[in-house]
Amino acid sequence: MPDPGKYMDVVLLAWGGTFLLLGLLVAVTVWQSRAARRALADAGAAGGEGS
Amino acid sequence: MSLWDYANPRKFMELSGRVLPGLVALTVLTLGAGLVWGFFFTPDDYRQGAAVKIIFIHVPAAMMAVNAWIMMLVASLIWLIRRHHVSALAARAAAPVGMVMTLIGLFTGAVWGQPIWMTWWAWDPRLTSFLVLFLFYLGYIALWAAIPEPETASDLTAVLCMVGTIFAVLSRYAVNFWSRGLHQGASLSLDRAENISDVFWYPLILCMAGFGLLFVTLVLVRTRTAIRQRRVQALALRESRGH
């Protein structure tokens, strides 16, 4: 019978990896969103159109 | 007003812009509450010990890895039948989110398997089909990136999406079709005797809802980004033709 507290390192690795992957996904999504918003504002200004 | 009116990019941007702040708040609340409950306020399992806490990320991520294909299929069919560009862009936006969910499912499963099954990996039907599902996501994303013409890319990726969805459903039920393998049967069941204990079940429901909301939020933001990018391309094209 495994000791209940025994696998906490495994839990922390799984949860840490998940937070890292989700954090990267959210960061890339937000960064791309801001870049697209900026590009559209610039293109709109150059072409005389708003978003 | 018809639902199809929201296939108009301007209407979609208006509606999604109004909905997003509330959706972000609801996602943070639901996911935060589920994860905190699951991590800090659930007991250790009598056999798995603390490793049972991996269920709160593994099951919701694996569920979304499969469900993302269903959403992509519906969006792709709308594109093929009604030619609404927003739906094609929504399918495209969902793929990286689904891919990360698949990766989380594979990673957390491997980490859990090491102490419980004594191995990080086995060529078990569920594990193998999830690995192939991950490769399907990569192929789908690569196909979008490889074809510069938007309508052709939307058509071809929609066809690939149909194949991917069939495979996703197969991988969902792989443990039922092929009884041999390490992966256990479904932990969740409508039968109370079969279902996991309530002490794990309630926080797990919250985590599943949180992952679902996170998926919807990210897909909305990414679809809005794709619409803006397409608008920039159209403006640049118009500019280049004007000179």
Side-chain angles (χ1 to χ4, degrees):
Chain A
M1 188 78 62
D3 173 17
K6 194 169 152 187
Y7 298 130
M8 196 39 96
D9 53 340
V10 166
V11 176
L12 291 177
L13 178 62
W15 279 62
T18 300
F19 280 123
L20 183 70
L21 286 169
L22 286 181
L24 274 174
L25 177 66
V26 170
V28 168
T29 301
V30 170
W31 175 73
Q32 287 177 336
S33 169
R34 286 183 181 162
R37 200 184 291 230
R38 241 188 341 263
L40 184 57
D42 292 347
E49 283 195 40
S51 60
Chain B
M1 192 173 201
S2 151
L3 182 68
W4 297 114
D5 290 337
Y6 293 109
N8 175 307
R10 195 173 291 274
K11 290 247 169 60
F12 176 83
M13 292 298 274
E14 279 171 18
L15 178 73
S16 57
R18 280 204 306 272
V19 166
L20 260 178
L23 195 58
V24 170
L26 189 63
T27 302
V28 171
L29 271 177
T30 311
L31 192 57
L35 292 177
V36 168
W37 188 353
F39 192 87
F40 293 105
F41 301 105
T42 54
D44 290 343
D45 180 68
Y46 76 102
R47 272 189 307 190
Q48 299 179 36
V52 73
K53 292 180 194 295
I54 295 176
I55 198 176
F56 301 111
I57 44 178
H58 177 73
V59 170
M63 184 189 79
M64 289 319 301
V66 173
N67 290 353
W69 281 103
I70 309 290
M71 176 261 151
M72 286 159 62
L73 175 70
V74 172
S76 298
L77 287 175
I78 292 173
W79 160 255
L80 287 176
I81 296 164
R82 301 194 62 133
R83 313 303 281 181
H84 289 312
H85 286 272
V86 172
S87 63
L89 292 177
R92 180 187 186 176
V97 185
M99 187 194 73
V100 169
M101 295 292 177
T102 313
L103 198 55
I104 291 172
L106 285 168
F107 172 69
T108 54
V111 171
W112 179 87
Q114 206 284 326
I116 304 297
W117 291 340
M118 304 299 167
T119 179
W120 295 96
W121 180 261
W123 294 103
D124 160 282
R126 169 66 71 86
L127 274 63
T128 308
S129 62
F130 249 70
L131 179 63
V132 177
L133 198 63
F134 176 69
L135 298 177
F136 258 107
Y137 272 117
L138 287 184
Y140 180 87
I141 293 166
L143 189 59
W144 264 109
I147 304 170
E149 210 285 304
E151 297 221 352
T152 311
S154 304
D155 285 339
L156 294 181
T157 53
V159 175
L160 180 60
C161 181
M162 288 179 202
V163 183
T165 308
I166 292 169
F167 199 83
V169 173
L170 273 179
S171 71
R172 163 71 183 79
Y173 293 103
V175 282
N176 303 350
F177 295 147
W178 298 287
S179 54
R180 281 178 301 173
L182 273 177
H183 201 289
Q184 67 272 40
S187 307
L188 314 178
S189 169
L190 292 175
D191 182 349
R192 277 189 76 82
E194 292 274 315
N195 201 19
I196 59 168
S197 160
D198 285 353
V199 77
F200 301 118
W201 173 231
Y202 294 130
L204 181 57
I205 293 176
L206 215 49
C207 288
M208 289 194 293
F211 268 73
L213 286 167
L214 178 66
F215 174 80
V216 174
T217 305
L218 288 173
V219 171
L220 268 188
V221 173
R222 297 181 70 87
T223 308
R224 286 168 63 81
T225 301
I227 290 172
R228 287 194 176 110
Q229 286 168 340
R230 192 132 320 160
R231 183 86 183 119
V232 170
Q233 285 168 357
L235 285 173
L237 193 65
R238 193 193 295 179
E239 184 90 354
S240 66
R241 281 181 184 159
H243 290 292

